[in-house]
Amino acid sequence: MIPPQEASARRREIEDKLKQEEETLSFIRDSLEKSDQLTKNMVSILSSFESRLMKLENSIIPVHKQTENLQRLQENVEKTLSCLDHVISYYHVASDTEKIIREGPTGRLEEYLGSMAKIQKAVEYFQDNSPDSPELNKVKLLFERGKEFLESEFRSLMTRHSKVVSPVLILDLISGDDDLEAQEDVTLEHLPESVLQDVIRISCWLVEYGRNQDFMNVYYQIRSSQLDRSIKGLKEHFHKSSSSSGVPYSPAIPNKRKDTPTKKPVKRPGTIRKAQNLLKQYSQHGLDGKKGGSNLIPLEGRDDMLDVETDAYIHCVSAFVKLAQSEYQLLADIIPEHHQKKTFDSLIQDALDGLMLEGENIVSAARKAIVRHDFSTVLTVFPILRHLKQTKPEFDQVLQGTAASTKNKLPGLITSMETIGAKALEDFADNIKNDPDKEYNMPKDGTVHELTSNAILFLQQLLDFQETAGAMLASQETSSSATSYSSEFSKRLLSTYICKVLGNLQLNLLSKSKVYEDPALSAIFLHNNYNYILKSLEKSELIQLVAVTQKTAERSYREHIEQQIQTYQRSWLKVTDYIAEKNLPVFQPGVKLRDKERQIIKERFKGFNDGLEELCKIQKAWAIPDTEQRDRIRQAQKTIVKETYGAFLQKFGSVPFTKNPEKYIKYGVEQVGDMIDRLFDTSA
């Protein structure tokens, strides 16, 4: 049970809270009454404001519409006045621009083109709005006159500023790609930059507004002439330089041993001169052949002429490629894209036709030279053909997009040169085989025949053109592989060809050797020629080429040489047979010789002496140019004769077979050796 005091306190607490709640409720009631009053006042204000806005709107909208109409009318008036001014201006275009057009565009192209633009717009306006207006004819005539002046300016700029490229600059351009030390590329500036920009602007205007393509013909005619003259100037430069100094200026492009295709042309030394230098090197080692009037080796002055012609043509071909590339770059800036290929095709025709004609002349000259058996002249085709084939990828790239007839010119020339080259090779082999045995043309001393030296010289000259010569031979093959022959296939064909020439040469030498009545001289002749051939093969790459298809060639030549040495040595049998042991009389020591025995010994001494003197006299005039072989043959013969004579002299030198021994014993053993040492030496 709650105590009375706590209940009383609890009641007071509740009463206090109730009183507070009543006060709060009274405050809320008063607040609601005030809020209702404020709401009524706001509604009244808003209603009044809405009424006033409606009155204002009804007053302003008509005024706004009227103002808007007035503004539109003003704009229409301004536009009409502007159009009138614009139309009226077309009627003044002719008078405003006539003076500028009449004076031409020279020196003020920008202003001139601006005037032409005004005239063009006037023409378009009158055509659309007043086609019967006399003003139309006036501006049309002015426009046509202005276009003619622009065409004339185009021609004038191209003519005045298109210059022939100097030969030295062309040669620098050719050598630029191969000069590893070059710091910057050699570039050609066909037209000054300011002139080029003017030409481009005129070109663009004539295409876009002038509807004219005649300027393209003007362009290619002018540039074609400059291209052709530049290449001809380079050719003349070679001739002038060679005639004045003997050495034409030429870029230092390293020579390549084999004619593997390269990007750039190689600087080719004189083909014939180079082979003759090789021949001179061989002659220093005792391998020189007889000099004669062979039609295989031209005179030195003719060599120089051929070298200059060949070098000039090769460089002109490279120059054409470089200059044509440069011309296309220039053309691409001036001529519209869809006309570029056709214009370029026309531009290069004269220069290209000149090169092709000169190439065909070279082929024609080679064909005539083959008839004359002048094969050294034909060799000019080889470096040219090699260069044409090396340059063909660049040619094809330059001529890309031109007519088929243009593209086919170079392949046609290459085919002609391959055909004539192959014919020259085959005719040369036949000529070696069929060279007549002319007694007056045979070397009296049995040295190397000019046919041999010429044949080796010709083959040595092919070393620089192995792939070219192989391709020539392959191009004449009728098998299916001929169209896609490999380098190995060409090499085997060339090896087979060289072996054929050497075989023909050997057969001819055998035939020629029969001209000699003395078998010993015939043997010396064959020995000298075989030895010359072998040494020449060994001192060059010919031996490697021969070994491709005939691996025993070197051994075969050595066997032939030894065989001829043995044949030569048999010539001494008629000397040594007199004193050989088997032919000597047998007698007993201490027994007096009979008259018959003394006579036999006298005959043996006399036969030996006479035979020795005769052979030494005859064979001293013979020649063995190879010092090593000459010493070897002398030594071998000296050994045989000295041993035989020494034994004979020892046996019969002290025998009393005569009262005058000095009459029969004319030579000592060493004297005989000295006499043999002077064999094959016309100066002894």
Side-chain angles (χ1 to χ4, degrees):
M1 187 168 176
I2 301 175
Q5 291 179 348
E6 290 182 6
S8 176
R10 182 73 177 269
R11 189 170 37 255
R12 282 195 299 273
E13 181 180 351
I14 292 170
E15 288 176 354
D16 288 340
K17 287 184 178 180
L18 180 61
K19 186 177 180 180
Q20 290 177 356
E21 293 293 334
E22 288 177 350
E23 290 176 354
T24 300
L25 181 61
S26 177
F27 175 75
I28 291 172
R29 189 179 292 111
D30 291 340
S31 296
L32 287 172
E33 289 178 356
K34 291 180 179 179
S35 177
D36 289 341
Q37 185 63 40
L38 289 173
T39 300
K40 290 179 181 179
N41 292 338
M42 180 58 68
V43 169
S44 176
I45 291 171
L46 289 173
S47 298
S48 175
F49 185 71
E50 181 181 8
S51 176
R52 291 181 179 181
L53 281 177
M54 290 180 66
K55 290 180 180 180
L56 181 60
E57 182 178 353
N58 292 333
S59 300
I60 292 300
I61 287 177
V63 174
H64 173 72
K65 289 182 178 179
Q66 186 177 4
T67 302
E68 188 177 35
N69 290 334
L70 290 174
Q71 289 177 339
R72 188 177 297 109
L73 289 173
Q74 184 178 1
E75 290 176 359
N76 289 339
V77 169
E78 290 177 353
K79 288 181 179 179
T80 301
L81 291 174
S82 176
C83 289
L84 287 173
D85 290 339
H86 182 68
V87 170
I88 292 171
S89 68
Y90 288 130
Y91 287 87
H92 297 289
V93 165
S95 58
D96 293 343
T97 60
E98 185 175 7
K99 181 180 179 182
I100 297 174
I101 299 303
R102 185 174 62 251
E103 293 176 352
T106 304
R108 52 174 182 176
L109 181 62
E110 193 70 29
E111 181 184 5
Y112 192 89
L113 291 178
S115 297
M116 289 298 294
K118 293 179 182 179
I119 297 171
Q120 173 72 14
K121 290 180 180 178
V123 170
E124 293 173 354
Y125 171 80
F126 288 120
Q127 284 178 336
D128 294 338
N129 298 281
S130 183
D132 298 328
S133 170
E135 292 295 332
L136 175 60
N137 294 330
K138 186 182 295 185
V139 292
K140 270 188 174 182
L141 289 173
L142 194 59
F143 181 82
E144 291 300 322
R145 186 186 305 170
K147 184 170 70 172
E148 290 174 1
F149 282 146
L150 283 173
E151 293 170 358
S152 177
E153 179 70 4
F154 182 89
R155 180 188 293 273
S156 176
L157 289 174
M158 291 299 303
T159 303
R160 284 188 286 115
H161 297 282
S162 291
K163 305 297 182 184
V164 174
V165 183
S166 70
V168 174
L169 184 57
I170 295 175
L171 291 170
D172 289 340
L173 183 68
I174 294 173
S175 63
D177 290 348
D178 293 291
D179 188 359
L180 300 179
E181 298 180 356
Q183 298 298 317
E184 58 184 13
D185 294 335
V186 179
T187 57
L188 296 179
E189 185 183 67
H190 294 291
L191 298 172
E193 183 61 27
S194 59
V195 174
L196 176 61
Q197 294 305 318
D198 285 351
V199 168
I200 292 173
R201 293 209 60 186
I202 295 174
S203 168
C204 292
W205 190 93
L206 290 173
V207 171
E208 185 175 358
Y209 302 107
R211 306 292 190 270
N212 186 298
Q213 298 181 8
D214 291 343
F215 77 95
M216 300 180 195
N217 297 332
V218 171
Y219 177 85
Y220 91 70
Q221 289 168 0
I222 294 173
R223 295 307 307 171
S224 175
S225 174
Q226 300 303 327
L227 174 62
D228 191 42
R229 289 169 59 193
S230 297
I231 294 176
K232 288 179 178 177
L234 177 63
K235 183 178 179 181
E236 292 174 2
H237 172 75
F238 269 85
H239 290 292
K240 290 179 180 178
S241 299
S242 63
S243 61
S244 59
S245 63
V247 181
Y249 171 87
S250 138
I253 304 175
N255 178 44
K256 298 184 181 295
R257 184 60 172 165
K258 293 184 179 179
D259 54 325
T260 51
T262 57
K263 183 176 181 181
K264 292 308 304 158
V266 296
K267 175 65 179 72
R268 182 194 59 80
T271 306
I272 301 168
R273 189 186 306 117
K274 180 176 180 181
Q276 288 180 334
N277 289 338
L278 287 172
L279 190 60
K280 290 177 183 177
Q281 293 174 10
Y282 298 159
S283 68
Q284 293 173 1
H285 295 83
L287 294 179
D288 197 8
K290 272 293 205 183
K291 298 296 183 291
S294 170
N295 55 9
L296 296 179
I297 306 178
L299 298 175
E300 186 172 352
R302 188 173 164 214
D303 295 348
D304 295 337
M305 180 185 69
L306 290 174
D307 287 337
V308 171
E309 290 290 343
T310 303
D311 282 339
Y313 186 73
I314 286 175
H315 283 80
C316 285
V317 170
S318 296
F320 172 82
V321 172
K322 285 296 183 183
L323 293 176
Q325 289 172 343
S326 182
E327 286 292 344
Y328 192 83
Q329 293 173 357
L330 177 66
L331 177 143
D333 292 332
I334 299 173
I335 304 300
E337 183 176 359
H338 54 287
H339 292 287
Q340 289 174 4
K341 295 295 183 182
K342 182 179 179 182
T343 304
F344 180 71
D345 195 344
S346 301
L347 189 155
I348 62 174
Q349 284 303 314
D350 286 349
L352 182 59
D353 286 344
L355 285 177
M356 295 302 106
L357 178 60
E358 191 172 348
E360 290 298 338
N361 289 339
I362 292 172
V363 172
S364 179
R367 188 176 292 110
K368 294 176 182 177
I370 291 174
V371 175
R372 301 192 307 268
H373 295 167
D374 183 4
F375 296 102
S376 57
T377 300
V378 179
L379 284 169
T380 58
V381 170
F382 284 70
I384 293 173
L385 175 59
R386 177 180 64 182
H387 185 69
L388 290 179
K389 295 178 78 170
Q390 289 173 354
T391 315
K392 187 176 182 297
E394 286 186 284
F395 246 100
D396 293 341
Q397 185 178 4
V398 169
L399 301 182
Q400 187 177 2
T402 58
S405 58
T406 302
K407 294 178 182 177
N408 292 334
K409 288 180 179 179
L410 180 64
L413 179 59
I414 289 176
T415 300
S416 297
M417 287 194 171
E418 282 189 329
T419 301
I420 200 66
K423 178 171 176 54
L425 292 176
E426 292 302 319
D427 282 21
F428 177 79
D430 293 340
N431 187 67
I432 293 296
K433 181 179 180 180
N434 301 319
D435 186 70
D437 302 327
K438 297 178 181 178
E439 185 174 351
Y440 66 85
N441 200 32
M442 293 293 291
K444 295 180 179 179
D445 56 2
T447 190
V448 179
H449 196 280
E450 62 182 359
L451 179 70
T452 303
S453 60
N454 290 337
I456 294 299
L457 177 62
F458 184 87
L459 295 179
Q460 286 166 352
Q461 292 176 87
L462 295 182
L463 287 176
D464 282 336
F465 312 104
Q466 295 181 34
E467 292 193 9
T468 301
M472 283 178 176
L473 296 170
S475 68
Q476 304 305 305
E477 291 292 307
T478 56
S479 62
S480 58
S481 61
T483 56
S484 58
Y485 51 84
S486 63
S487 176
E488 186 62 28
F489 177 69
S490 299
K491 190 172 184 179
R492 290 188 65 83
L493 283 178
L494 183 58
S495 175
T496 302
Y497 171 77
I498 292 174
C499 292
K500 177 182 177 181
V501 171
L502 293 176
N504 289 349
L505 177 60
Q506 187 173 339
L507 291 173
N508 199 316
L509 290 173
L510 283 171
S511 176
K512 289 183 184 301
S513 68
K514 297 175 183 178
V515 172
Y516 296 110
E517 296 179 359
D518 190 335
L521 180 56
S522 177
I524 291 296
F525 170 77
L526 291 175
H527 163 273
N528 284 333
N529 283 272
Y530 291 155
N531 184 63
Y532 178 85
I533 294 170
L534 178 60
K535 291 294 179 70
S536 299
L537 294 177
E538 291 176 337
K539 289 180 179 293
S540 65
E541 295 178 15
L542 284 173
I543 193 65
Q544 287 88 348
L545 269 177
V546 169
V548 172
T549 55
Q550 196 175 102
K551 300 187 182 302
T552 62
E554 187 174 357
R555 185 181 66 189
S556 177
Y557 274 111
R558 294 193 187 282
E559 291 174 354
H560 289 319
I561 291 170
E562 291 302 320
Q563 181 182 353
Q564 298 308 318
I565 291 176
Q566 293 173 12
T567 302
Y568 162 74
Q569 288 175 341
R570 284 197 289 271
S571 69
W572 281 84
L573 290 177
K574 62 183 179 181
V575 176
T576 57
D577 277 352
Y578 281 105
I579 58 176
E581 182 71 26
K582 62 182 180 179
N583 296 326
L584 296 178
V586 179
F587 61 92
Q588 295 179 356
V591 178
K592 185 178 180 181
L593 296 175
R594 292 175 295 180
D595 292 341
K596 183 178 180 181
E597 290 174 337
R598 287 196 297 270
Q599 186 61 33
I600 290 175
I601 294 173
K602 291 179 182 179
E603 290 175 356
R604 295 293 184 267
F605 269 108
K606 186 176 185 305
F608 173 79
N609 292 335
D610 292 344
L612 177 66
E613 292 170 356
E614 180 184 1
L615 283 185
C616 288
K617 179 181 179 181
I618 294 173
Q619 294 186 9
K620 185 179 73 171
W622 296 356
I624 299 180
D626 188 334
T627 305
E628 181 182 345
Q629 286 290 315
R630 182 168 65 239
D631 292 343
R632 176 191 169 201
I633 293 174
R634 281 174 177 170
Q635 186 60 40
Q637 199 60 52
K638 184 168 65 173
T639 300
I640 295 172
V641 175
K642 284 177 66 176
E643 287 179 357
T644 306
Y645 182 63
F648 176 77
L649 195 60
Q650 184 178 4
K651 187 172 184 179
F652 295 100
S654 58
V655 174
F657 65 92
T658 180
K659 295 179 180 179
N660 300 308
E662 67 279 359
K663 179 180 178 181
Y664 297 98
I665 307 176
K666 297 173 63 175
Y667 305 105
V669 175
E670 293 304 321
Q671 283 180 293
V672 171
D674 292 341
M675 292 173 69
I676 295 176
D677 277 336
R678 290 193 290 272
L679 297 178
F680 317 116
D681 186 359
T682 56
S683 63

